[in-house]
């Protein structure tokens, strides 16, 4: 197996960081293909915890190549800070490369993101405020976008940002009465980033395709999750990029014929941050069952408490389908260890009908009531268990039901945040 995409199947925060890190231990290259520093991946190595926002989780393995593909929007200040922090902690960062076609997050992007959100009384998306949406708006609108290839051409970049900043400052003033940004300060700041990052910027599609051709193991690391995908997610309460598996191709310059497997990462229950309907959400008086204790369901990027709920089989089937998932990885099974009765959603009731397929309309979704099956909990600590057959039978049955509803086989089960707290049913590589 040479190329594997890892993708989240819910609303992000499925624990992809741990699995990417696990699979990266045997990979030669890890590729981020979308999103930006709105993502937050936590990886635990021994007693050390690493929180990564832009750099692929694979960076923790010395000598591995880490690619930020063309589909990523990169805030260079955040990237350089993340690189400096990793270096200080003794991590080898020499394998990082950035696509010359990747777009830049400029200082006005987070500002526009935050001002836009705070100015709305209705229809807030609950963004991370990192400027990801406005950066993709510029990309797709085309007029004001700036790519790495532009950053590295000093004369062109100066001209370009003078033009674009005049437009953005005007917009900030007219829409929000904001004073805007000082051109010479931003130019100097970005000219410095350009020189620091110049050696890392290249046509990364050449690198990724060459690695695949040579039979190297390439891991495509999706950020956020399928329900936050701009096309397949719970629109408009989504992020602005293609986080589903298809994005791995467009976001890295690799054709679909080159992808061997799609690994879908799904939590044994559901969580979501930000706004939007969430059919299996637990009421506030029950949420600590999953959020606190081993769940630790607080955002890595913003620290916001996550909304939590039961496993949703309708959503799982949808996500497996739109991603073409070949292997499932079920995360955080241990969070359910103490629960007496576990609920699992098998369909939605919408008015007088039952839905087996995840609806496109959020109005319909908001009116759906989950139809639950109740399954007995196992009330046993599973964190030390290394094989599926050693799991309590109730846990085995719960996992079998997940695989059945999602319609994909389970390759791995995570029973704790440490690297070795993982059950392997079959090898992914
Ligand atoms: P944005 O990506 O900052 O524009 O935020 C859009 C929506 O996606 C919000 O609901 C965020 O909370 C959510 N979101 C963005 N990135 C992540 C992530 O990495 N994990 C979970 N939710 C995310």
């Amino acid at each position: 197996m040479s190329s594997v995409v890892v993708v989240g199947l819910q609303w992000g925060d499925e624990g992809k960081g741990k699995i990417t890190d696990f699979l990266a231990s045997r990979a030669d290259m890890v590729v981020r293909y979308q999103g930006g520093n709105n993502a937050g991946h936590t990886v635990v190595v021994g007693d050390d915890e690493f929180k990564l926002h832009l750099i692929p989780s694979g960076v923790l393995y010395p000598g591995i190549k880490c690619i930020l593909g063309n589909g990523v929007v990169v805030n260079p200040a955040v990237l350089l800070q993340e690189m400096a922090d990793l270096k200080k902690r003794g991590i080898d960062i020499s394998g990082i490369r950035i696509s010359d076609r990747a777009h830049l997050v400029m200082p006005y992007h987070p500002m526009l993101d935050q001002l836009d959100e705070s100015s709305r009384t209705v229809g807030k998306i609950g963004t991370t405020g990192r400027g990801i949406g406005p950066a993709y708006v510029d990309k797709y609108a085309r007029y004001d976008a700036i790519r790495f290839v532009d950053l590295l051409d000093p004369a062109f970049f100066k001209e370009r940002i003078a033009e674009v900043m005049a437009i953005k400052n005007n917009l900030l003033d007219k829409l929000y009465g904001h004073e805007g940004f000082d051109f010479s300060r931003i130019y100097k700041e970005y000219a410095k980033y350009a020189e620091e990052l110049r050696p890392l910027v290249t046509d990364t599609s050449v690198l990724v395709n060459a690695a695949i051709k040579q039979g190297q193991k390439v891991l495509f690391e999706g950020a956020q999750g399928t329900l936050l995908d701009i096309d397949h997610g719970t629109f408009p309460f989504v992020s602005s990029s293609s986080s589903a598996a298809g994005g791995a191709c467009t976001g890295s310059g690799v054709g679909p014929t080159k992808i061997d497997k799609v690994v879908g990462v799904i939590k044994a229950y559901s969580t979501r941050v930000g706004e939007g309907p969430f059919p299996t959400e637990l009421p506030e008086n029950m949420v600590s069952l999953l959020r606190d204790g081993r769940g630790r369901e607080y955002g890595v990027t913003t620290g916001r408490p996550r909304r939590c709920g039961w496993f949703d089989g309708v959503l799982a089937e949808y996500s497996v389908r739109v991603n073409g998932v070949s292997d499932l990885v079920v995360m955080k099974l241990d969070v359910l260890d103490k629960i007496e009765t576990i609920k699992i959603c098998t369909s939605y009731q919408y008015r007088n009908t039952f839905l087996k397929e995840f609806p496109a309309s959020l109005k319909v979704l908001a009116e759906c009531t989950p139809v639950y099956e109740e399954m007995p909990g196992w009330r046993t600590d599973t964190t030390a268990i290394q094989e599926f057959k050693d799991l309590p039978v109730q846990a085995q049955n719960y996992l079998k039901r997940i695989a059945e509803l999602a319609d994909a086989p389970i390759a791995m089960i995570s029973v704790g945040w440490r690297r070795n707290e993982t059950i392997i049913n079959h090898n992914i590589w």
Side-chain angles (χ1 to χ4, degrees), residues 83-380:
M83 285 167 57
D85 290 346
L86 286 170
K87 203 169 167 191
K88 213 162 51 191
R89 293 177 72 181
I91 303 296
D92 171 19
I93 55 164
S94 62
I96 297 174
R97 294 291 178 277
I98 308 157
S99 168
D100 48 9
R101 291 172 172 81
H103 285 242
L104 287 168
V105 174
M106 302 294 292
Y108 42 80
H109 289 134
M111 186 53 70
L112 284 165
D113 195 359
Q114 290 156 28
L115 289 170
D116 191 359
E117 276 277 292
S118 56
S119 69
R120 288 176 194 272
T121 42
V122 286
K124 280 186 201 288
I125 288 172
T127 75
T128 59
R130 301 300 191 263
I132 307 307
Y136 279 110
V137 166
D138 280 349
K139 172 173 174 171
Y140 287 96
R142 296 155 298 164
Y143 298 107
D144 301 333
I146 303 178
R147 299 186 299 166
F148 269 88
V149 68
D150 309 324
L151 177 72
L152 298 192
D153 179 341
F156 178 75
F157 180 67
K158 193 169 187 180
E159 214 175 282
R160 183 95 187 100
I161 101 162
E163 273 167 36
V164 174
M165 283 189 64
I167 294 165
K168 297 298 178 190
N169 281 345
N170 191 25
L171 190 75
L172 281 163
D173 175 35
K174 299 274 165 38
L175 272 181
Y176 305 108
H178 183 278
E179 62 188 356
F181 291 88
D182 177 53
F183 163 75
S184 55
R185 187 178 70 77
I186 302 295
Y187 172 66
K188 267 197 216 128
E189 191 183 316
Y190 274 68
K192 196 165 143 268
Y193 299 151
E195 289 327 304
E196 287 182 73
L197 293 172
R198 182 180 294 280
L200 312 186
V201 179
T202 185
D203 184 344
T204 49
S205 159
V206 172
L207 302 181
V208 183
N209 281 282
I212 293 174
K213 208 167 192 172
Q214 288 160 20
Q216 293 184 18
K217 290 185 167 45
V218 178
L219 190 64
F220 295 87
E221 172 180 345
Q224 288 86 45
T226 305
L227 274 296
L228 292 175
D229 179 281
I230 187 77
D231 285 277
H232 303 293
T234 42
F235 194 89
F237 300 105
V238 293
S239 193
S240 301
S241 66
S242 299
S243 37
C249 292
T250 47
S252 64
V254 162
T257 51
K258 301 286 192 295
I259 305 293
D260 296 314
K261 276 191 172 183
V262 176
V263 174
V265 185
I266 196 155
K267 236 177 324 208
Y269 51 94
S270 311
T271 62
R272 153 160 227 185
V273 270
E275 306 299 320
F278 178 3
T280 63
E281 183 169 17
L282 282 172
E284 199 50 42
N285 63 343
M286 283 177 70
V287 81
S288 71
L289 207 61
L290 300 170
R291 184 189 285 156
D292 299 312
R294 296 185 66 83
R296 299 206 290 180
E297 295 295 355
Y298 294 87
V300 175
T301 302
T302 58
R304 288 182 288 180
R306 295 179 185 143
R307 299 156 68 193
C308 299
W310 298 115
F311 185 87
D312 185 338
V314 181
L315 178 157
E317 185 278 332
Y318 171 75
S319 285
V320 164
R321 172 160 42 89
V322 299
N323 286 297
V325 169
S326 55
D327 303 75
L328 275 180
V329 176
V330 179
M331 304 302 294
K332 297 181 104 167
L333 183 74
D334 56 302
V335 174
L336 305 179
D337 279 354
K338 292 187 179 154
I339 301 179
E340 204 169 307
T341 304
I342 302 168
K343 290 189 184 183
I344 187 162
C345 166
T346 56
S347 63
Y348 297 151
Q349 179 166 10
Y350 173 65
R351 299 187 180 168
N352 296 323
T353 56
F354 290 95
L355 305 182
K356 282 275 184 199
E357 276 148 22
F358 197 75
S361 159
L362 287 204
K363 255 169 79 186
V364 173
L365 189 66
E367 266 193 61
C368 283
T369 332
V371 177
Y372 285 119
E373 250 171 45
E374 291 198 346
M375 300 192 74
W378 40 95
R379 316 208 67 193
T380 312

